[in-house]
Structure formats: C-alpha cells, structure tokens
C-alpha cells in the first residue's frame, strides 16, 4: 500500500481542475499516473521490467472491484491525479485472491522467495495480498492510495480527493482508514489529521484516520 504525494511549494488551485468520480474510460490514465508517480512520487518508467506491474497491484483491483471509491482530478479533460481504495481491506483481500489474481497471475509467475529485486518483491506482493492486513491495522478497515502528477499538486487537490474518498468510504460502512506512505508525503497527511501508527510501520510509514469527523480547514499545499 504505497501512496506518493511529495511536498511541493504552495500554489493556487487552477480553475480548470475539478474532482469527479472515476469513470471506466479513465482506466488508462490512472494506470499511467500510477507508473509516473511510482518511485516515491517520481516517474518509475524504465525502473521495472514491466511497468504495468505497478498499476496491476496498486490500481487495477481497486478500479475493477470498488470503482465507487475512486475519484480523479480532471484538468481541461485530462486526468492528472486520483485516489482509490477499499472500505473493507479484509474482504478486499479475499476478492483480490479469488477474482483478481487469476486474471494477472499468468503474466507474473510467483518469484522464488526471498525476493532479490524490486520486480520480484512487487510480484510477491501481488501474489500475497494478505500482507495488506496486519493485526495493528485491522481496527482501521478502509485503506486508500492517492497519486498526483506535478501539475495537480499544491492547489488543494489532495485534500479534496481525501474528502471525496472519506465520504464514499463512510457511506460504504467504514469507520476509519489506514494507509502507507513515505517520509516525503508524511507532513501532508499529518496536516490532514492523520495520526502515525508506528507499530505497523514496515516498508512504509503507516497512518490512520477516523472517518467520522471533517478534515482540518483547508490550507495551502497538496
């Protein structure tokens, strides 16, 4: 569960940018953004043997099985950012294993463990969705990913995407959300009211947030 939203200098929101629900025709754009933000917010193209591996883990299953929890930033008709996730991680893991993995496993055979490369680690992640849920984060059933291209950062789009996801996840029955992120993005999520869950930190910093209250008042930034 990686989320890449590196800090950027504040700048005003562009009038042409708007948040809207994900639509099926946004699939390719979301996949592209997932790759172009896949290296801690920077472009991951050329870093993996198959760039589609990243979105096949961090985008495809969510868009397929929980599209009602996906939202995009549109700028003059072009998608430049998104959030997506699930309201129930435990149930999502079962769906992933039963319905998503059979679709993609032939492209990504299980690697020999322990893994040695980033590609192998990602393929192992694909084949072991149960790693998304540990006892420490079980009390926070929803989880999300949020990715923005550089032109979508700094104008409040990150906050507005979170608000849209929170409302949708709460309506789907979730009472709290967790997420994994990197150190660069941590200040943004702290400003949004997320609290650190250090006992769950492994490959990422882990944060959680209750879905019952509003986000803090808007501030400059992502």
């Amino acid at each position: 569960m990686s989320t890449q939203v590196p800090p950027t200098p504040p700048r005003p929101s562009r009038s042409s940018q708007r948040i809207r629900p994900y639509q099926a025709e946004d699939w390719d754009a979301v996949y592209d953004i997932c790759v172009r933000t896949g290296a801690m917010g920077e472009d991951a193209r050329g870093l993996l043997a198959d760039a589609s591996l990243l979105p096949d883990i961090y985008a495809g299953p969510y868009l397929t099985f929980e599209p009602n929890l996906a939202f995009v930033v549109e700028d003059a008709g072009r998608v430049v950012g998104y959030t997506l996730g699930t309201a129930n991680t435990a149930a999502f893991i079962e769906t992933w294993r039963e319905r998503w993995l059979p679709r993609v496993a032939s492209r990504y055979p299980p690697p020999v463990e322990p893994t040695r490369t980033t590609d192998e680690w990602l393929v192992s992640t694909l084949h072991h969705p149960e790693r998304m849920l540990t006892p420490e984060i079980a009390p926070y059933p929803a989880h999300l990913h949020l990715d923005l291209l550089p032109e979508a950062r700094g104008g409040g789009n990150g906050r507005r995407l979170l608000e849209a996801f929170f409302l949708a996840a709460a309506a789907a029955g979730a009472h709290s959300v967790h997420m994994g992120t990197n150190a660069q993005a941590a200040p943004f999520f702290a400003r949004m009211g997320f609290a650190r869950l250090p006992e769950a930190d492994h490959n990422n910093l882990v944060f959680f947030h209750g879905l019952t209250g509003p986000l803090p008042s808007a501030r400059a930034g992502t």
Side-chain angles (χ1 to χ4, degrees), residues 19-141:
I19 308 298
R20 63 165 174 79
Y22 166 81
Q23 300 169 0
E25 54 266 32
D26 301 324
W27 178 282
D28 289 344
V30 171
Y31 258 54
D32 179 60
I33 293 168
C34 186
V35 176
R36 291 169 63 192
T37 59
M40 292 191 177
E42 300 301 320
D43 199 333
R45 288 177 294 184
L47 300 182
L48 300 173
D50 184 348
S52 296
L53 176 57
L54 275 172
D56 277 343
I57 297 171
Y58 297 114
Y62 301 90
L63 299 179
T64 300
F65 303 117
E66 300 211 40
N68 58 311
L69 295 181
F71 300 88
V72 302
V73 183
E74 185 182 84
D75 187 350
R78 174 173 170 254
V79 174
V80 294
Y82 65 83
T83 188
L84 44 75
T86 178
N88 186 327
T89 299
F92 185 70
I93 289 169
E94 294 302 316
T95 301
W96 179 307
R97 180 162 292 285
E98 294 173 5
R99 300 174 59 191
W100 181 250
L101 194 53
R103 297 189 185 194
V104 298
S106 62
R107 290 181 55 196
Y108 311 110
V112 175
E113 304 283 354
T115 59
R116 297 167 297 174
T117 67
T118 300
D119 290 77
E120 289 179 350
W121 180 83
L122 286 168
V123 173
S124 181
T125 297
L126 176 70
H127 283 270
H128 297 283
E130 63 277 3
R131 294 175 185 167
M132 288 190 284
L133 189 62
T134 65
E136 299 89 351
I137 59 178
Y140 315 101

Side-chain angles (χ1 to χ4, degrees), residues 111-202:
V112 175
E113 304 283 354
T115 59
R116 297 167 297 174
T117 67
T118 300
D119 290 77
E120 289 179 350
W121 180 83
L122 286 168
V123 173
S124 181
T125 297
L126 176 70
H127 283 270
H128 297 283
E130 63 277 3
R131 294 175 185 167
M132 288 190 284
L133 189 62
T134 65
E136 299 89 351
I137 59 178
Y140 315 101
H143 77 258
L144 65 90
H145 302 284
L146 191 157
D147 293 297
L148 300 170
L149 293 178
E151 57 265 42
R153 301 170 188 166
N157 287 320
R159 183 182 189 279
R160 287 189 284 272
L161 285 171
L162 287 178
E163 288 176 331
F165 178 88
F166 276 24
L167 287 173
H175 56 78
S176 59
V177 60
H178 72 269
M179 55 161 297
T181 189
N182 54 56
Q184 294 93 322
F188 164 73
F189 291 101
R191 291 197 304 272
M192 294 299 101
F194 282 75
R196 177 92 177 271
L197 194 65
E199 60 269 27
D201 290 351
H202 299 294

